[in-house]
Amino acid sequence: MLTTTVAGRTWNFSHSIGRGAAAGAGFAIPYAIASAPDGALYVLSRGTERIGQGVILGINKRVTKVTMDEKFIGEFGQGQFTWPVDLAVDSYGNVYVSDEHENLISIFDPDGQKIGSWGVAGSGEGQISGPAGITFDDQDNLYVVDSRNNRVQKFSKDGAFLMSFGSAGAGDGQFNSPWGITLDHNGDLYVADFGNNNVQKFTKDGEYLMTFGISSEQNGDLLHPSNVAVDSEGDVYVVDFGNNRVQIYEPNGDIITALHGDGIEFSKWAKEVVDSNPDVTKAFRRVKDMSPLGKFARPVGIVVDDEDRVIISETVRSRLQVYEKEKDYMDPQFNL
């Protein structure tokens, strides 16, 4: 469905952004998205691996900056990551990238120049193992999902340890390979717990508040959630990685609906590729039902921008899908 209307809320599918690319404009397994201060998007490509001269080489692991209408601005970070996971932008426009293999947080200025990094591998206070999701609060402190240590740690932007919360387990406030993280407009934290099949909500000081989702394929239940975002009205969006959908909850945890992907039309970049190859064009014309190609295929990242546009990255098709939330929508009555 290109338009989803439930419980007084409407989400209109807008368009897709990107395509897979070996070089230049495009994404390669896009893992994470961040909204830049100028309204553009940073997209983190996880990339691929290749063995070369006895070592693993990272291919197409980079950050690409694009506008919402798919204008390519630039890219950076090629060759500087091993297993990048997430990115976040501070109040000065600097871009922070977590690398779960190197146990590092790398920092780039708005022009894409690397200006620093920090992180010490381990399980002690202030040490990290497998950093995944990262997000800034309004004081430019960085919350880091310390995934293999099953906790969340809070650092200054320069890497000074401030606090931590969480432990291994399946109870309230416990984690099993947590992944994504976000803050809402009240400063509360949401953590996507991949192994426990839920999203937990905490105060900024780490006090447990509530849980979203359990584990099955039913509506409202989650299977290996990878990321989470919250819009200006408090609705919670969870990337339900294992079920190839994005589930939307009310602030109290009640399920509203789910998005399954609507990217049937080609993005601008993808259309350029298809139109440049007559054989590819003919192949697509032979497809009788394009709807399966519009569905999410292993979605991972999500962000809600300042206009409440919901942007989801899907790794298999190397693209973003964009939805616009229309507030106070009234469903018109037509005799069709």
Side-chain angles (χ1 to χ4, degrees), residues 111-224:
D111 295 323
Q113 297 299 312
K114 189 171 183 178
I115 57 176
S117 64
W118 50 262
V120 176
S123 58
E125 185 178 89
Q127 298 177 334
I128 51 179
S129 180
I134 55 177
T135 191
F136 278 104
D137 66 13
D138 57 6
Q139 301 298 312
D140 265 355
N141 296 313
L142 188 68
Y143 288 90
V144 178
V145 176
D146 188 7
S147 186
R148 286 196 286 269
N149 286 323
N150 291 299
R151 64 186 177 187
V152 174
Q153 298 204 74
K154 180 180 177 181
F155 298 86
S156 72
K157 63 187 298 181
D158 299 319
F161 171 76
L162 299 176
M163 62 160 285
S164 69
F165 64 90
S167 61
D172 295 345
Q174 295 183 316
F175 301 118
N176 179 5
S177 301
W179 189 337
I181 189 171
T182 196
L183 281 140
D184 66 18
H185 290 269
N186 297 319
D188 291 329
L189 287 160
Y190 300 73
V191 181
D193 193 339
F194 190 83
N196 281 328
N197 301 302
N198 62 36
V199 167
Q200 296 187 64
K201 180 179 178 181
F202 302 85
T203 68
K204 62 181 180 181
D205 298 319
E207 178 185 352
Y208 170 82
L209 296 175
M210 63 177 294
T211 297
F212 295 79
I214 47 178
S215 57
S216 76
E217 295 183 1
Q218 302 302 312
N219 287 336
D221 299 340
L222 300 169
L223 182 62
H224 302 315

Side-chain angles (χ1 to χ4, degrees), residues 288-305:
K288 302 300 183 183
D289 181 9
M290 292 285 286
S291 59
L293 297 179
K295 302 302 182 184
F296 294 132
R298 290 295 184 240
V300 169
I302 189 168
V303 68
V304 177
D305 70 8

Side-chain angles (χ1 to χ4, degrees), residues 10 27 34 49 75 88 121-122 129 131 192 223 228 234 267 302:
T10 293
F27 310 132
E49 307 289 354
E75 63 185 29
S129 180
L223 182 62
V228 57
S267 67
I302 189 168

Side-chain angles (χ1 to χ4, degrees), residues 37 42 44 61-64 75-82 84 86-99 104-118 134 136 157:
Y42 289 105
L44 172 65
K61 299 175 186 292
R62 59 179 181 245
V63 178
T64 303
E75 63 185 29
F76 57 88
Q78 182 80 34
Q80 299 187 58
F81 310 122
T82 302
D86 201 9
L87 47 77
V89 183
D90 70 12
S91 62
Y92 294 93
N94 296 316
V95 181
Y96 288 61
V97 182
S98 61
D99 190 318
L104 283 178
I105 307 296
S106 296
I107 311 164
F108 300 83
D109 68 16
D111 295 323
Q113 297 299 312
K114 189 171 183 178
I115 57 176
S117 64
W118 50 262
I134 55 177
F136 278 104
K157 63 187 298 181

